[in-house]
Short mmCIF file of all heavy atoms in Angstrom, two decimals:
data_model
loop_
_atom_site.label_atom_id
_atom_site.label_comp_id
_atom_site.label_asym_id
_atom_site.label_seq_id
_atom_site.Cartn_x
_atom_site.Cartn_y
_atom_site.Cartn_z
N ASN T 260 1.03 42.67 11.43
CA ASN T 260 0.29 43.92 11.64
C ASN T 260 -1.18 43.58 11.86
O ASN T 260 -1.88 43.16 10.94
CB ASN T 260 0.46 44.83 10.42
CG ASN T 260 -0.17 46.19 10.62
OD1 ASN T 260 -0.89 46.40 11.60
ND2 ASN T 260 0.10 47.11 9.73
N ARG T 261 -1.65 43.75 13.07
CA ARG T 261 -3.02 43.35 13.41
C ARG T 261 -4.05 44.44 13.15
O ARG T 261 -5.23 44.29 13.45
CB ARG T 261 -3.10 42.94 14.89
CG ARG T 261 -2.25 41.74 15.21
CD ARG T 261 -2.30 41.43 16.70
NE ARG T 261 -1.28 40.45 17.04
CZ ARG T 261 -1.43 39.15 16.92
NH1 ARG T 261 -2.56 38.65 16.47
NH2 ARG T 261 -0.45 38.32 17.24
N CYS T 262 -3.62 45.58 12.64
CA CYS T 262 -4.55 46.68 12.42
C CYS T 262 -5.57 46.31 11.33
O CYS T 262 -5.17 45.90 10.24
CB CYS T 262 -3.78 47.93 12.01
SG CYS T 262 -4.88 49.27 11.54
N PRO T 263 -6.87 46.47 11.61
CA PRO T 263 -7.88 46.11 10.61
C PRO T 263 -7.81 46.97 9.35
O PRO T 263 -8.29 46.57 8.30
CB PRO T 263 -9.21 46.34 11.35
CG PRO T 263 -8.88 47.21 12.50
CD PRO T 263 -7.45 46.96 12.86
N THR T 264 -7.18 48.13 9.46
CA THR T 264 -7.11 49.03 8.30
C THR T 264 -5.97 48.66 7.34
O THR T 264 -6.00 49.01 6.17
CB THR T 264 -6.92 50.49 8.79
OG1 THR T 264 -8.01 50.80 9.66
CG2 THR T 264 -6.92 51.49 7.66
N ALA T 265 -4.97 47.94 7.87
CA ALA T 265 -3.75 47.71 7.09
C ALA T 265 -4.03 47.08 5.72
O ALA T 265 -3.39 47.42 4.74
CB ALA T 265 -2.79 46.85 7.89
N LYS T 266 -5.01 46.16 5.68
CA LYS T 266 -5.24 45.46 4.40
C LYS T 266 -6.21 46.19 3.47
O LYS T 266 -6.41 45.76 2.34
CB LYS T 266 -5.78 44.06 4.70
CG LYS T 266 -4.72 43.14 5.31
CD LYS T 266 -5.21 41.71 5.40
CE LYS T 266 -4.13 40.77 5.87
NZ LYS T 266 -3.62 41.03 7.21
N VAL T 267 -6.81 47.26 3.96
CA VAL T 267 -7.79 47.98 3.12
C VAL T 267 -7.47 49.47 3.00
O VAL T 267 -8.28 50.24 2.52
CB VAL T 267 -9.23 47.83 3.68
CG1 VAL T 267 -9.70 46.39 3.59
CG2 VAL T 267 -9.32 48.34 5.12
N SER T 268 -6.27 49.85 3.42
CA SER T 268 -5.94 51.27 3.40
C SER T 268 -5.74 51.77 1.97
O SER T 268 -5.56 50.98 1.03
CB SER T 268 -4.65 51.52 4.19
OG SER T 268 -3.57 50.90 3.52
N LYS T 269 -5.74 53.08 1.80
CA LYS T 269 -5.52 53.67 0.49
C LYS T 269 -4.11 53.33 -0.01
O LYS T 269 -3.87 53.17 -1.19
CB LYS T 269 -5.72 55.18 0.55
CG LYS T 269 -7.20 55.55 0.71
CD LYS T 269 -7.48 56.94 0.21
CE LYS T 269 -8.96 57.21 -0.04
NZ LYS T 269 -9.84 56.92 1.09
N ARG T 270 -3.18 53.22 0.92
CA ARG T 270 -1.81 52.84 0.53
C ARG T 270 -1.80 51.46 -0.11
O ARG T 270 -1.14 51.21 -1.11
CB ARG T 270 -0.88 52.88 1.76
CG ARG T 270 0.58 52.59 1.42
CD ARG T 270 1.47 52.82 2.63
NE ARG T 270 1.50 54.21 3.02
CZ ARG T 270 2.27 55.14 2.46
NH1 ARG T 270 3.08 54.82 1.49
NH2 ARG T 270 2.23 56.38 2.89
N LYS T 271 -2.56 50.55 0.48
CA LYS T 271 -2.65 49.19 -0.08
C LYS T 271 -3.27 49.26 -1.48
O LYS T 271 -2.84 48.55 -2.41
CB LYS T 271 -3.49 48.32 0.88
CG LYS T 271 -3.86 46.96 0.37
CD LYS T 271 -2.65 46.02 0.40
CE LYS T 271 -2.98 44.57 0.06
NZ LYS T 271 -3.45 44.33 -1.28
N TYR T 272 -4.26 50.12 -1.62
CA TYR T 272 -4.93 50.29 -2.92
C TYR T 272 -3.93 50.76 -3.99
O TYR T 272 -3.86 50.23 -5.09
CB TYR T 272 -6.06 51.30 -2.70
CG TYR T 272 -6.84 51.69 -3.93
CD1 TYR T 272 -7.56 50.76 -4.67
CD2 TYR T 272 -6.87 53.02 -4.35
CE1 TYR T 272 -8.28 51.14 -5.79
CE2 TYR T 272 -7.59 53.41 -5.47
CZ TYR T 272 -8.29 52.46 -6.18
OH TYR T 272 -8.99 52.85 -7.28
N ILE T 273 -3.11 51.76 -3.62
CA ILE T 273 -2.09 52.28 -4.55
C ILE T 273 -1.07 51.19 -4.88
O ILE T 273 -0.64 51.04 -6.02
CB ILE T 273 -1.37 53.51 -3.93
CG1 ILE T 273 -2.35 54.66 -3.71
CG2 ILE T 273 -0.17 53.95 -4.76
CD1 ILE T 273 -2.83 55.33 -4.97
N LYS T 274 -0.68 50.45 -3.85
CA LYS T 274 0.28 49.35 -4.05
C LYS T 274 -0.27 48.35 -5.08
O LYS T 274 0.44 47.92 -5.98
CB LYS T 274 0.46 48.66 -2.69
CG LYS T 274 1.79 48.01 -2.47
CD LYS T 274 1.82 47.36 -1.10
CE LYS T 274 2.45 48.19 -0.03
NZ LYS T 274 3.89 48.38 -0.18
N ASP T 275 -1.54 48.02 -4.95
CA ASP T 275 -2.16 47.07 -5.89
C ASP T 275 -2.19 47.64 -7.31
O ASP T 275 -1.95 46.93 -8.28
CB ASP T 275 -3.60 46.73 -5.44
CG ASP T 275 -3.61 45.91 -4.15
OD1 ASP T 275 -2.54 45.38 -3.78
OD2 ASP T 275 -4.67 45.83 -3.51
N ILE T 276 -2.48 48.94 -7.42
CA ILE T 276 -2.50 49.57 -8.76
C ILE T 276 -1.10 49.50 -9.38
O ILE T 276 -0.93 49.15 -10.56
CB ILE T 276 -2.96 51.05 -8.66
CG1 ILE T 276 -4.43 51.12 -8.28
CG2 ILE T 276 -2.70 51.79 -9.97
CD1 ILE T 276 -4.94 52.54 -8.03
N LEU T 277 -0.08 49.81 -8.58
CA LEU T 277 1.29 49.78 -9.10
C LEU T 277 1.69 48.35 -9.52
O LEU T 277 2.34 48.15 -10.56
CB LEU T 277 2.27 50.33 -8.07
CG LEU T 277 2.15 51.84 -7.82
CD1 LEU T 277 2.96 52.25 -6.59
CD2 LEU T 277 2.63 52.64 -9.03
N ASP T 278 1.27 47.38 -8.72
CA ASP T 278 1.56 45.97 -9.08
C ASP T 278 0.92 45.64 -10.42
O ASP T 278 1.53 44.98 -11.27
CB ASP T 278 1.01 45.02 -8.00
CG ASP T 278 1.86 45.03 -6.75
OD1 ASP T 278 3.01 45.51 -6.82
OD2 ASP T 278 1.39 44.56 -5.70
N GLU T 279 -0.29 46.10 -10.59
CA GLU T 279 -1.02 45.83 -11.83
C GLU T 279 -0.28 46.49 -13.02
O GLU T 279 -0.07 45.87 -14.05
CB GLU T 279 -2.44 46.40 -11.68
CG GLU T 279 -3.48 45.87 -12.65
CD GLU T 279 -3.62 44.36 -12.62
OE1 GLU T 279 -3.53 43.75 -11.54
OE2 GLU T 279 -3.82 43.79 -13.71
N LEU T 280 0.12 47.75 -12.83
CA LEU T 280 0.82 48.47 -13.91
C LEU T 280 2.15 47.81 -14.25
O LEU T 280 2.58 47.78 -15.40
CB LEU T 280 1.06 49.93 -13.50
CG LEU T 280 -0.18 50.82 -13.41
CD1 LEU T 280 0.17 52.17 -12.79
CD2 LEU T 280 -0.78 51.04 -14.80
N GLU T 281 2.79 47.26 -13.23
CA GLU T 281 4.11 46.65 -13.47
C GLU T 281 4.02 45.31 -14.19
O GLU T 281 5.04 44.77 -14.63
CB GLU T 281 4.88 46.54 -12.15
CG GLU T 281 5.38 47.90 -11.71
CD GLU T 281 6.49 47.86 -10.68
OE1 GLU T 281 6.59 46.87 -9.94
OE2 GLU T 281 7.25 48.85 -10.62
N LYS T 282 2.80 44.80 -14.32
CA LYS T 282 2.66 43.59 -15.15
C LYS T 282 2.97 43.92 -16.61
O LYS T 282 3.44 43.11 -17.37
CB LYS T 282 1.24 43.03 -15.02
CG LYS T 282 1.00 42.33 -13.70
CD LYS T 282 -0.41 41.80 -13.61
CE LYS T 282 -0.69 41.28 -12.22
NZ LYS T 282 -2.12 41.06 -11.98
N ASP T 283 2.69 45.17 -17.00
CA ASP T 283 2.97 45.63 -18.36
C ASP T 283 4.36 46.23 -18.49
O ASP T 283 5.02 46.08 -19.50
CB ASP T 283 1.97 46.75 -18.73
CG ASP T 283 0.78 46.18 -19.44
OD1 ASP T 283 0.84 45.00 -19.81
OD2 ASP T 283 -0.21 46.92 -19.61
#
Side-chain angles (χ1 to χ4, degrees):
N260 186 350
R261 297 177 191 275
C262 173
T264 303
K266 290 189 174 63
V267 293
S268 67
K269 288 204 163 53
R270 184 173 294 278
K271 171 74 173 65
Y272 177 62
I273 296 289
K274 208 180 264 292
D275 291 345
I276 291 174
L277 290 169
D278 285 344
E279 199 56 37
L280 291 171
E281 286 199 334
K282 285 180 188 166
D283 266 349

